[in-house]
Every structure is written in C-alpha cells, then in structure tokens.
Amino acid sequence: MADSQTEIDHRRYKQHTVNCDVSCARFESHSELPAVYKAVTPTVLLIMSILEVIRLYCGYVGNLKERVPELAVFWMVTLVLQLPLCLFSLLNSEAIILPMEVSVQAILLAFVVVELIVSTSTISHMTSVQETKFSLLQSPDSTETTT
C-alpha cells in the first residue's frame, strides 16, 4: 500500500500539471491546428482533470480504509481511461506539442505507470488478506468445542 505522503505529492504535482495544460491549451488554441484538434485537446484536458480527482479519491479511500472495491475503481479508471488519455496527450503527432508539455506529460505518464504496478500488487495482497480474515471468521474456534 502506498503511503499518504505519496498521494499528497501526486496531488500537488497534478495542480502544476493542470496549470501547464491550461497554458499550453491557450497557446494551441491560437495556433494553426486543425479545427478537430482545437476541439479535442481541451476536451481531453478537461476529462483528464475530472478523472484525476475521482481516481485519486478512490485510491486514497481504498488505501487508507483497505477497501478493495475503491482500489479496483482506481485501477480500472487508471488503466482504461487515464493511461490512454495520457498517451494521447504525449504521443499525438498531429498536434503541436510544446517542450514543457512533453516533460510534464512524461512525468505524469511515469506516475500513472508506477501507480498501475503498485495498485496491482496492492489489490492482490489486500484480497488475500481479506480472504484470510474471512476464513478465520468462518472457521469454528477450537477452544470453544473442548468443554
């Protein structure tokens, strides 16, 4: 399980990421991008920002309260939505990608990949611990039967 300090650091970094994305989106909206990318890029940035709040909340609650469903939501949102959007922002060859945007998105991608690896092992470990607790609660106590 990740410690809460890592989550706080990631939230602080995410604030800087959003600021950078907004600055880059302002520049890109006035550039010579095709009309489709002028519409898609801000939409992707907005979706990423909303998903990040939901994703970090589920990871935080699932980690601190040892709840597997919240961690599973964190893992699924990271894998299915956040990772592809992050890759789109970083590897889009049709858009004008600024050097600041590349560095920020690369660091965010590294965070997302590490979070996927750590959350996979955490969910696996947490489910085995929960299964052991459940088995111990279901088995009869041997001290009560000897009277």
Side-chain angles (χ1 to χ4, degrees):
M1 290 179 259
D3 61 347
S4 60
Q5 184 64 34
T6 305
E7 292 288 333
I8 291 170
D9 291 342
H10 187 126
R11 283 186 277 166
R12 287 182 184 153
Y13 179 74
K14 186 59 185 173
Q15 293 171 352
H16 297 297
T17 305
V18 169
N19 291 339
C20 174
D21 288 341
V22 168
S23 301
C24 292
R26 283 184 189 162
F27 173 77
E28 290 171 352
S29 66
H30 298 296
S31 66
E32 297 178 7
L33 283 175
V36 173
Y37 283 101
K38 285 183 181 180
V40 168
T41 304
T43 306
V44 167
L45 294 175
L46 179 67
I47 291 171
M48 282 180 68
S49 298
I50 293 170
L51 284 177
E52 191 70 17
V53 171
I54 295 168
R55 195 175 69 85
L56 289 178
Y57 174 76
C58 288
Y60 187 74
V61 169
N63 186 26
L64 288 182
K65 296 186 178 180
E66 295 185 6
R67 293 186 180 167
V68 176
E70 280 85 353
L71 277 178
V73 168
F74 169 81
W75 186 81
M76 290 297 293
V77 169
T78 302
L79 182 66
V80 175
L81 299 172
Q82 193 72 18
L83 184 64
L85 289 174
C86 192
L87 288 172
F88 173 80
S89 296
L90 186 63
L91 303 175
N92 187 6
S93 62
E94 297 290 324
I96 299 171
I97 301 176
L98 302 174
M100 178 175 67
E101 191 175 12
V102 170
S103 62
V104 168
Q105 291 297 333
I107 293 171
L108 183 62
L109 180 64
F111 270 130
V112 167
V113 169
V114 168
E115 287 170 354
L116 275 172
I117 294 167
V118 170
S119 64
T120 301
S121 65
T122 301
I123 290 172
S124 174
H125 176 70
M126 197 177 293
T127 52
S128 66
V129 168
Q130 297 273 338
E131 183 181 348
T132 304
K133 285 181 183 178
F134 181 75
S135 298
L136 290 174
L137 288 174
Q138 295 300 316
S139 65
D141 229 354
S142 60
T143 58
E144 293 178 6
T145 58
T146 56
T147 53

